[in-house]
Amino acid sequence: MAVYEILASVLILGGALLVLLSSVAMVRSRDALQMMNVFSPATGMGLPLVVVGVWVHLTGRDGFDWWVLAVSLVTIVSLVIVSSLASNTLARAVYHSGAPVDPRTDPQDLARPPGE
């Protein structure tokens, strides 16, 4: 087994492990806002690790290619931007929908009027 295959495997398995652990934590969360919060490691680090692992594998197998690098970088940037915007939008929608929030969640910044 080549070095690039080992590195790619470690990156992909590490990313998949982050996604799995985030999913388990999401199921164990007490409310919808916490579910949104615990899934951020998967979207912010897990999925980009998988993309980097795929890039390492393709580069090791086929040689360096600017197009594969560009697609990988665009994918990573897109994942980070879209996951950030989607998480923020969904969290605000959950909060404004009136879904119950665990009383142990502190601070309740969204519940306080501005200036308090």
Side-chain angles (χ1 to χ4, degrees), residues 45-99:
M45 192 67 178
L47 296 176
L49 275 176
V50 171
V51 173
V52 171
V54 170
W55 177 78
V56 167
H57 176 74
L58 291 175
T59 301
R61 186 188 69 186
D62 301 332
F64 181 79
D65 184 9
W66 284 104
W67 179 251
V68 174
L69 177 63
V71 169
S72 299
L73 291 175
V74 167
T75 302
I76 291 170
V77 169
S78 298
L79 281 170
V80 171
I81 290 172
V82 169
S83 69
S84 299
L85 292 174
S87 294
N88 190 343
T89 302
L90 288 172
R92 291 187 69 77
V94 165
Y95 188 81
H96 290 300
S97 74

Side-chain angles (χ1 to χ4, degrees), residues 3-21:
V3 174
Y4 76 88
E5 290 174 334
I6 295 171
L7 180 60
S9 299
V10 168
L11 290 169
I12 292 170
L13 288 174
L17 184 64
L18 274 173
V19 172
L20 176 67
L21 292 175

